[in-house]
Amino acid sequence: MHIYEVIMLNPEYDGEDHFVVAKSEESAKQLVVDYYAQMNDGNVGVVTMNDLDVNGPVEPEDYAEEMLLN
């Protein structure tokens, strides 16, 4: 498993990056798509794989200081 930073490309959504533990970039994006599908209240469009980009895998030692992973 790896840590991936999934980035929201579409400003229509919250614009938050999400840190995800997954086996691959594709799996990381799918987890975020599934998360937004569960949270969808019908007021915004459905998040798709095309709305996301991935940085990673991210290694914890890449960060100079401690941080909260959201």
Side-chain angles (χ1 to χ4, degrees), residues 49-62:
M49 300 286 261
N50 294 328
D51 295 317
L52 306 172
D53 195 12
V54 178
N55 285 334
V58 177
E59 297 299 331
E61 56 271 359
D62 290 346

Side-chain angles (χ1 to χ4, degrees), residues 15-62:
E16 281 189 14
D17 295 348
H18 299 276
F19 287 89
V20 178
V21 176
K23 293 180 181 179
S24 68
E25 289 184 9
E26 202 69 18
S27 294
K29 286 171 66 173
Q30 188 61 54
L31 285 167
V32 173
V33 166
D34 293 346
Y35 168 77
Y36 278 99
Q38 291 177 349
M39 303 301 287
N40 191 329
D41 60 4
N43 291 328
V44 287
V46 176
V47 174
T48 68
M49 300 286 261
N50 294 328
D51 295 317
L52 306 172
D53 195 12
V54 178
N55 285 334
V58 177
E59 297 299 331
E61 56 271 359
D62 290 346

Side-chain angles (χ1 to χ4, degrees), residues 5-18:
E5 180 183 20
V6 181
I7 301 164
M8 184 66 68
L9 297 174
N10 190 333
E12 178 181 349
Y13 305 110
D14 64 14
E16 281 189 14
D17 295 348
H18 299 276

